[in-house]
Amino acid sequence: MLRRAAAVAIVLTSPAAADEWRFCVGVAPANHESVISDVFTSGADSARLESRLQGWYRAHHGRTLTFQCPHGGDRVAALNGQTAALQFNRTLGYAVNGLPVNEVTMALGEDLF
C-alpha cells in the first residue's frame, strides 16, 4: 500500500508536459521568405508557441509570417528537422533567414526552457 501511495505521489508531482527540443519555421509565401529558429527546449503547446512568435515577429520585424513549431523530441531529431526545413525552403526558392535563440527567448518568455 505504501508503494502504491508513493507511485501516486510521484505521478501527481510530475510536470504536466516534459520539455522537448524544438525549432520553429516562419513562412511568408507571398514574399518567398522563411525564417528558421535555432533549436530550443519547451514544454509549451505548439499553437501557443506559434502564436507568440507570430505576434512578436510582426511587432519587431514589421512582417507577418505564419509559424510552425513541430515537436522535435530529442536534440538530434530537432536539428535534423531544422536541416530538412532549411533545405525544403531553399528548394522552393525562398530566402531563408535565421532566428537566433536570443530572439526566440525574447519572443517566447516563460514558454521557453
Side-chain angles (χ1 to χ4, degrees):
M1 183 71 161
L2 186 56
R3 286 185 197 168
R4 189 173 177 177
V8 170
I10 291 170
V11 169
L12 293 177
T13 59
S14 297
D19 286 354
E20 294 183 289
W21 283 96
R22 298 170 179 241
F23 69 97
C24 296
V25 179
V27 180
N31 299 337
H32 297 314
E33 175 186 9
S34 66
V35 173
I36 300 176
S37 77
D38 286 342
V39 296
F40 60 93
T41 58
S42 177
D45 179 59
S46 292
R48 179 174 169 85
L49 297 175
E50 294 158 4
S51 175
R52 289 182 63 124
L53 272 171
Q54 185 169 325
W56 182 89
Y57 199 86
R58 185 181 322 111
H60 288 85
H61 293 277
R63 294 185 306 281
T64 300
L65 280 75
T66 302
F67 279 89
Q68 292 183 341
C69 301
H71 293 272
D74 65 12
R75 187 170 193 275
V76 172
L79 288 168
N80 287 338
Q82 181 191 46
T83 301
L86 174 67
Q87 291 170 343
F88 178 75
N89 281 284
R90 284 190 176 154
T91 300
L92 291 176
Y94 286 15
V96 180
N97 297 301
L99 187 62
V101 76
N102 64 325
E103 291 190 30
V104 173
T105 301
M106 288 188 293
L108 299 179
E110 74 273 1
D111 287 330
L112 192 63
F113 306 110

